[in-house]
Amino acid sequence: MFARNILLSSTLIFLLVIAGYGSCEDVSIHKRNGNDSIIQSSFSSRSFQYRGVALGGWLVLEPYITPSLFLEFNKTGGNESDIPVDEYHYCKKLGSETAKKRLEKHWSTFYNESDFALIKQYGLNMVRIPIGYWAFEKMKGDPYVQGAQKYLDKAIEWAHKYDLKVWVDLHGVPGSQNGFDNSGYRDIGYPGWLNKTENVDLTYKVLHQIYSKYGGHNITSEYYDTILGIEVINEPFSPKLPISDIKDYYNKAYDDGRKTQVINNTIVFHDAFKPMGYWNDFLSSYKNETNTTDIYNILIDHHHYEVFSAGGLNQTIEQHIKSIKDLSSDIEKEIPHHPAVVGEWSAALTDCTPWLNGVGLGSRYEGQAPYDNPKIGSCKDINNWSKWSKKDKVNTRKFIEIQLDQYESKMNGWIFWCYKTEDTIEWDFKRLVELGLMPQPLTQRKYIVNGTDTNTSSKNGSPTAPLNNWTIVLSSLLAIFI
Ligand SMILES: *[C@@H]1O[C@H](CO)[C@@H](O)[C@H](O)[C@H]1NC(C)=O
Ligand SMILES: *[C@@H]1O[C@H](CO)[C@@H](O)[C@H](O)[C@H]1NC(C)=O
Ligand SMILES: *[C@@H]1O[C@H](CO)[C@@H](O)[C@H](O)[C@H]1NC(C)=O
Ligand SMILES: *[C@@H]1O[C@H](CO)[C@@H](O)[C@H](O)[C@H]1NC(C)=O
Ligand SMILES: *[C@@H]1O[C@H](CO)[C@@H](O)[C@H](O)[C@H]1NC(C)=O
Ligand SMILES: *[C@@H]1O[C@H](CO)[C@@H](O)[C@H](O)[C@H]1NC(C)=O
Ligand SMILES: *[C@@H]1O[C@H](CO)[C@@H](O)[C@H](O)[C@H]1NC(C)=O
Ligand SMILES: *[C@@H]1O[C@H](CO)[C@@H](O)[C@H](O)[C@H]1NC(C)=O
Ligand SMILES: *[C@@H]1O[C@H](CO)[C@@H](O)[C@H](O)[C@H]1NC(C)=O
Ligand SMILES: *[C@@H]1O[C@H](CO)[C@@H](O)[C@H](O)[C@H]1NC(C)=O
Ligand SMILES: *[C@@H]1O[C@H](CO)[C@@H](O)[C@H](O)[C@H]1NC(C)=O
Ligand SMILES: *[C@@H]1O[C@H](CO)[C@@H](O)[C@H](O)[C@H]1NC(C)=O
C-alpha cells in the first residue's frame, strides 16, 4: 500500500525539483500572488510518507536539549535553585535585553542552512518545527522575548531549497496546555491554558496568524508545497483539561484553517493522550472499507516514548519490541478513518539524560526524587559513548529498527524527536547516525526484518512474561510529572 505512495511522492518531489530550482535564493515566502482560490497542495497526508525530524530546543527552549544556556546560571553561585526551569523563567531572570541577546545568538547558531542540507542527505523528507505563541503575540506582562518568527521563516526557505517539507507546530500556548517545560512554561500538574478566556482567545489569534502567514494568499507559489501541515496545538493534556474543550478548540481551529488558508494543506491534531482509535470519527468522511475518500485532509499525531514510567523502563528489549508492534497494529486500524503518524519518538531506553524530566528533577531509572520507584539501573555514562556496552548498543539499534520498521509499514510515517542536542545520544538523530545506531540509509537493517528480531541470542536471557502492552506504557506517560 505504501510502496505506491512513496513512488508517487518521489515523482512529485522530482517534478518540484526540476520545476522550482534556481530561483529560490532571494525569495521571501510572502509575496502576494493575488489568487484567492483554494490551491490543492500536491501533498495530502494520505499520499505522503512522513520521514522526519523535529527541530526541538531551537525556537522553544528545552533545558535538556541545550543545557549550556541554563548552566550559565549555575556558574557564579553554584546554587542550582538559581537555574530557570523553562523559557519563561529564563527570560524573566535575565530581563528582556539580555535574554534577547542570548536567544538571538542561540537562534542564529543552533540551526543554519547546513543542517537542512544534511537532513536531506540523511534520507529525511520533512521537518517539524515547534514554535511558541510568544513568537507572534505576547500576553500582557509576559517576560518572553520575540524574534523567533524570523528564524521560522528562514527555516522554511532552507527547507524549500533542499526539498524538505515543513510542518509548523504550535508548541506552547498561553498558560500552558500541559504544564511541561517544553510548552515554555512549566507548572507541574497544572496546565493553566483553559483557566482564562484571554488565554484561549490569544491562542486562536496566534493560530490565525500562522494560517494567514504560512497558508494564506500572501504566500509565494514556490512555497505552496513546502508547508505540508500546521499542527494546531502540541500535546494538550486531556487528563487535566476537559476533552470537550479540547475538541471545541480542534473544531474551530480546523474551520479557521480552511477559511483562512488558500492552500489545502494538512491540519494536524495531536491525540491529546487519548487511546488509539479515539479520533476515528473526528472530521472523518469514512464510509466503509471500500470508500475511504478523504475530504478533510487531517492527520492524527501520536507521540510514543517508553521511558516515562518505571514499568516502561523496566522492560527487556524483547518487551520493548513487542510493545512497539502492538502500538503500531492499533494505529494501523485507524488508517481507514484518518492518516496517522508517530510524530514523536526517540531511541531512549532510559530517562537518564540530565534534565530530561525537567531542571532539578531526577530519573526514574535510578529511582531519584521526585520518583519513588526502586532503582532499575545506573545512569552514569548515559551520554558517554566510550562507556556504552555492546549490549547497550545492540539494544538501542534494535529499538530504533523496530520503530522504523513498524512506523513505515503500518501508518503514514514518523518524526524522530529530535534532530540534534548538545550532549545526548538517545535523543539526537544526528549523533545516532554518526555512532552507527541510526540506519543509513534508513532502510538498512542489522537486526529487525519485517517486524522480527533476527538476532535473539540466548545470552541476553529469554524474554520474561509480557507484563506490558503499549496501553500501560502510554497511560504511564501521563504520569510524567508526578
Ligand atoms: C489561481 O489558482 C488556481 C488553482 O491553482 C488556478 O487554477 C488559477 O489559474 C489561478 N488564478 C490566477 C489568477 O493566478
Ligand atoms: C552547579 O554548581 C555546583 C558548584 O560548582 C556544582 O556542584 C553542581 O554540580 C552544578 N550543577 C549542575 C547541574 O551542573
Ligand atoms: C540556594 O538558594 C536557596 C534559595 O535561595 C537557599 O534556600 C539555599 O540554601 C541555597 N543553597 C546553597 C547551597 O547556597
Ligand atoms: C553552520 O554552522 C556550522 C557549525 O557552526 C558551520 O560549520 C557551517 O559552516 C555553517 N553553515 C552555514 C551555511 O553557515
Ligand atoms: C485552573 O484550572 C485548574 C484545572 O485545570 C484548576 O485546578 C485551578 O483551580 C484553576 N485555577 C484558577 C485560578 O482558576
Ligand atoms: C498580506 O500582504 C499585504 C500587502 O503587502 C499586507 O498588508 C498584509 O498584512 C499581508 N497579510 C499577511 C497575513 O501577511
Ligand atoms: C465516498 O464518500 C465520500 C465522502 O462521504 C462521498 O463524497 C463519495 O461520493 C463516496 N464515493 C462513492 C463512490 O460513493
Ligand atoms: C461502500 O460504500 C460505497 C459507496 O460509498 C458502496 O458503493 C459500497 O457498496 C459500500 N460497500 C460496502 C461493503 O458496504
Ligand atoms: C483537500 O484535500 C483533500 C485530501 O487530499 C481532498 O479530498 C479535498 O477535495 C481537497 N479540497 C479542496 C477544496 O481542494
Ligand atoms: C492491552 O491491555 C489492555 C488491558 O489489559 C487490553 O484491553 C488491550 O487490548 C491490550 N492491547 C494490546 C494491543 O494488547
Ligand atoms: C523490574 O522487574 C524485575 C523483574 O521482573 C522486578 O523484580 C523489579 O521489581 C522491577 N523493578 C521495577 C522498578 O519495577
Ligand atoms: C519483508 O516483507 C516484504 C513485503 O511484505 C517482502 O517483499 C520481503 O520479501 C520480506 N522480507 C523478508 C526477508 O522476509
Side-chain angles (χ1 to χ4, degrees):
M1 162 188 179
F2 288 113
R4 189 181 57 84
N5 295 335
I6 292 161
L7 254 181
L8 179 69
S9 307
S10 11
T11 311
L12 290 166
I13 287 166
F14 177 70
L15 289 175
L16 196 77
V17 169
I18 55 172
Y21 256 60
S23 58
C24 47
E25 245 75 60
D26 305 312
V27 283
S28 133
I29 57 171
H30 294 114
K31 279 182 197 147
R32 194 176 171 81
N33 70 37
N35 190 339
D36 284 351
S37 60
I38 296 292
I39 292 144
Q40 178 64 63
S41 159
S42 321
F43 295 89
S44 103
S45 283
R46 282 267 167 214
S47 58
F48 190 70
Q49 185 71 359
Y50 288 76
R51 294 190 185 99
V53 281
L55 311 190
W58 184 30
L59 305 181
V60 178
L61 295 186
E62 292 194 42
Y64 84 95
I65 298 177
T66 58
S68 69
L69 293 176
F70 291 81
L71 284 169
E72 283 287 317
F73 296 82
N74 196 37
K75 271 190 178 156
T76 41
N79 188 332
E80 292 182 17
S81 69
D82 289 338
I83 303 174
V85 300
D86 54 31
E87 184 162 341
Y88 182 99
H89 293 95
Y90 180 91
C91 294
K92 189 166 177 181
K93 256 203 144 94
L94 289 176
S96 61
E97 204 175 311
T98 310
K100 173 96 178 164
K101 225 179 274 165
R102 291 193 193 176
L103 283 175
E104 275 289 348
K105 179 160 174 251
H106 165 67
W107 293 329
S108 62
T109 54
F110 193 43
Y111 278 89
N112 68 19
E113 184 177 328
S114 307
D115 292 297
F116 290 76
L118 204 50
I119 287 171
K120 180 69 184 178
Q121 270 180 41
Y122 286 147
L124 299 158
N125 61 15
M126 56 87 57
V127 292
R128 174 174 181 247
I129 308 182
I131 187 127
Y133 74 90
W134 56 93
F136 295 85
E137 294 274 340
K138 294 207 291 182
M139 296 288 284
K140 219 170 136 205
D142 267 351
Y144 289 120
V145 300
Q146 295 192 298
Q149 212 183 125
K150 191 174 84 198
Y151 294 91
L152 175 57
D153 294 355
K154 271 181 196 285
I156 292 167
E157 289 182 26
W158 291 328
H160 176 74
K161 180 163 174 185
Y162 295 98
D163 190 26
L164 293 162
K165 309 296 162 199
V166 174
W167 151 351
V168 177
D169 154 35
L170 183 53
H171 214 73
V173 298
S176 180
Q177 71 276 27
N178 48 37
F180 306 159
D181 58 8
N182 58 51
S183 69
Y185 187 80
R186 180 174 103 180
D187 202 342
I188 296 169
Y190 176 66
W193 177 44
L194 297 176
N195 279 40
K196 293 185 185 157
T197 48
E198 299 97 280
N199 290 350
V200 182
D201 290 348
L202 194 79
T203 307
Y204 283 121
K205 191 170 171 194
V206 165
L207 186 63
H208 184 79
Q209 285 182 29
I210 291 174
Y211 285 140
S212 337
K213 185 167 175 189
Y214 302 110
H217 57 253
N218 277 16
I219 194 165
T220 0
S221 55
E222 283 101 313
Y223 294 91
Y224 288 166
D225 276 337
T226 294
I227 296 162
L228 64 80
I230 289 170
E231 182 161 33
V232 302
I233 193 170
N234 178 61
E235 296 188 350
F237 198 61
S238 68
K240 294 263 168 74
L241 301 172
I243 189 65
S244 53
D245 290 344
I246 294 173
K247 281 183 174 167
D248 188 45
Y249 174 75
Y250 276 14
N251 276 303
K252 289 182 178 142
Y254 181 82
D255 288 347
D256 190 41
R258 288 291 170 248
K259 226 183 308 169
T260 308
Q261 301 197 103
V262 299
I263 309 173
N264 184 19
N265 59 17
T266 298
I267 314 274
V268 183
F269 300 93
H270 179 259
D271 65 21
F273 302 97
K274 286 292 186 187
M276 298 304 136
Y278 183 86
W279 300 97
N280 283 358
D281 297 330
F282 177 71
L283 296 176
S284 171
S285 50
Y286 176 72
K287 289 279 185 287
N288 61 36
E289 298 295 336
T290 55
N291 184 3
T292 56
T293 306
D294 185 5
I295 60 171
Y296 292 103
N297 197 7
I298 65 159
L299 177 70
I300 298 296
D301 173 23
H302 300 294
H303 295 174
H304 186 74
Y305 300 113
E306 306 206 343
V307 298
F308 295 115
S309 72
L313 287 164
N314 199 23
Q315 297 179 101
T316 62
I317 188 62
E318 291 81 10
Q319 289 169 333
H320 280 297
I321 288 171
K322 178 171 189 312
S323 139
I324 296 299
K325 289 174 74 171
D326 289 347
L327 164 82
S328 303
S329 296
D330 280 8
I331 296 179
E332 188 175 28
K333 295 189 191 108
E334 299 181 338
I335 300 303
H337 300 268
H338 55 71
V341 295
V342 173
E344 280 193 21
W345 60 284
S346 78
L349 292 170
T350 76
D351 66 339
C352 286
T353 279
W355 292 348
L356 177 67
N357 297 307
V359 170
L361 307 182
S363 71
R364 296 167 190 80
Y365 203 68
E366 291 200 336
Q368 294 164 332
Y371 311 105
D372 54 10
N373 57 275
K375 176 170 172 164
I376 295 162
S378 169
C379 280
K380 200 164 154 286
D381 301 323
I382 189 64
N383 293 330
N384 183 352
W385 179 244
S386 65
K387 297 284 172 62
W388 275 42
S389 68
K390 176 97 200 296
K391 188 177 164 198
D392 292 336
K393 295 175 187 174
V394 170
N395 286 351
T396 301
R397 170 106 190 188
K398 283 183 180 177
F399 190 51
I400 292 173
E401 286 192 5
I402 187 67
Q403 293 188 82
L404 290 173
D405 178 277
Q406 297 289 296
Y407 303 162
E408 281 278 341
S409 61
K410 293 186 173 162
M411 59 198 80
N412 298 75
W414 50 269
I415 304 171
F416 189 90
W417 184 276
C418 46
Y419 177 63
K420 66 172 164 181
T421 66
E422 283 177 351
D423 302 323
T424 85
I425 295 172
E426 295 179 294
W427 301 85
D428 188 314
F429 183 96
K430 185 167 184 281
R431 195 166 281 132
L432 288 164
V433 169
E434 288 160 3
L435 298 174
L437 295 186
M438 177 64 69
Q440 281 295 296
L442 288 164
T443 48
Q444 181 198 58
R445 297 289 177 265
K446 278 192 180 160
Y447 306 113
I448 308 286
V449 178
N450 283 1
T452 303
D453 186 356
T454 59
N455 171 262
T456 44
S457 93
S458 50
K459 279 198 308 282
N460 292 350
S462 56
T464 50
L467 61 97
N468 257 300
N469 70 16
W470 70 263
T471 314
I472 296 165
V473 173
L474 188 76
S475 51
S476 51
L477 172 73
L478 308 184
I480 296 175
F481 285 107
I482 296 176

